[in-house]
Amino acid sequence: MASAPPRNRFARSTLTRLLSDLAQVDLPEPPLTVAERLGPWLEWTDAIALSTALQAPASAVQASAGLAARAARAAADELARVRSTLSRAITSDEVLAAQPAVVAGAVAGAGAVEPLTDFTPLRLRCQQHQRAMTAALGPLRQRVRAALGVASPPLARLAALDAVLDDALAQRERHALGRVPALLERHAERLGQPGQAQLDWVSATAGAAPDVASLGATVQRVLLAELDIRLKPIEGMMEALKQANAGAATAATAADSPVAPTPAAPGDRP
């Protein structure tokens, strides 16, 4: 069985690389900065909101160090819980796991297998998991922003910027991620053609010989990659909060440390 052609994977998210492989297309890295690539996604009203958030005086709700630390711990615990719940729901999905080991017209060495004739159950499960991500990650993102808001003025400004970007990019994100089930369905249709087989993308990228895998397993991989990319803004804010708390703890420790007395010079009187 021939392996898939190599793809341009540099600086690409797991979701983009996986969908590129499934679609059998190569996506060249655009010679643009992050700001230039983000520009077409923003309206002029979004630019005004971003400018206002950047120029606003940095301020944070007055909170004790203990309250801020508890808010940070609660946000971190909630992030871990939501990630675990969503991941477990995807990996334990019985509809996806029930797909046959091979979904192809004819695979060398594996015998002929009937192609998938109805993608509807997989499409519905994929959309169901996407809705679950949206429902869970929205409140989580707000909770993390709230933790930043009571931590420090710079982190409160970061939370305000994230809120503006979240509102500005929400519609574009829904449109882009809403195309994922259709891309998977076209992949399933290609698998029904004679001589086509689905490669195990994870094994192939790890350097091992690619194996024939189930379509349900591919849908699970795509959903997990989508969850990963949806979590990036939240994880970025949590990392900023973690670094700020670590810096504050170091400063507090240094301030509380007693200053060692200067040794008396020889001959000095006590």
Side-chain angles (χ1 to χ4, degrees):
M1 180 178 60
S3 60
R7 307 291 178 197
N8 182 357
R9 303 178 182 279
F10 180 72
R12 293 288 184 181
S13 69
T14 302
L15 179 62
T16 303
R17 295 197 303 268
L18 181 50
L19 292 177
S20 173
D21 279 355
L22 295 179
Q24 298 181 3
V25 297
D26 194 11
L27 301 178
E29 188 69 18
L32 300 174
T33 65
V34 173
E36 290 170 333
R37 291 158 63 184
L38 186 62
W41 286 53
L42 299 174
E43 303 292 341
W44 66 271
T45 51
D46 301 324
I48 293 176
L50 280 172
S51 177
T52 301
L54 284 169
Q55 296 177 9
S59 61
V61 176
Q62 294 296 323
S64 65
L67 177 60
R70 287 194 296 273
R73 287 195 299 271
D77 291 343
E78 184 66 5
L79 170 58
R81 185 193 67 80
V82 169
R83 181 196 286 116
S84 176
T85 299
L86 293 173
S87 298
R88 188 167 57 251
I90 294 170
T91 56
S92 63
D93 190 309
E94 295 181 356
V95 174
L96 300 179
Q99 294 304 307
V102 179
V103 183
V107 181
V113 179
E114 289 295 326
L116 184 70
T117 57
D118 186 8
F119 189 77
T120 301
L122 294 182
R123 181 175 63 253
L124 293 177
R125 299 302 286 184
C126 185
Q127 293 170 337
Q128 178 181 332
H129 286 296
Q130 288 181 315
R131 289 193 296 270
M133 290 184 211
T134 300
L137 296 183
L140 173 62
R141 194 164 178 173
Q142 292 178 354
R143 183 164 189 171
V144 173
R145 285 200 293 259
L148 265 65
V150 299
S152 69
L155 291 180
R157 174 177 287 172
L158 175 61
L161 286 173
D162 179 75
V164 173
L165 285 173
D166 190 12
D167 290 339
L169 301 178
Q171 184 175 355
R172 294 269 193 171
E173 180 183 272
R174 283 195 300 270
H175 175 72
L177 295 177
R179 298 172 58 194
V180 169
L183 293 173
L184 287 166
E185 185 165 5
R186 285 199 289 273
H187 172 64
E189 291 171 353
R190 279 195 301 273
L191 292 179
Q193 300 171 4
Q196 294 295 315
Q198 180 180 356
L199 299 182
D200 185 336
W201 181 81
V202 173
S203 297
T205 54
D211 299 321
V212 177
S214 73
L215 182 59
T218 294
V219 174
Q220 287 174 322
R221 273 189 216 107
V222 169
L223 287 170
L224 290 173
E226 179 177 330
L227 175 60
D228 179 69
I229 204 170
R230 283 176 181 249
L231 283 170
K232 291 300 183 188
I234 301 173
E235 292 174 337
M237 288 189 292
M238 285 303 305
E239 181 62 26
L241 183 58
K242 178 181 177 181
Q243 292 182 6
N245 288 339
T250 301
T253 300
D256 292 341
S257 299
V259 179
T262 303
D268 287 350
R269 293 194 175 191

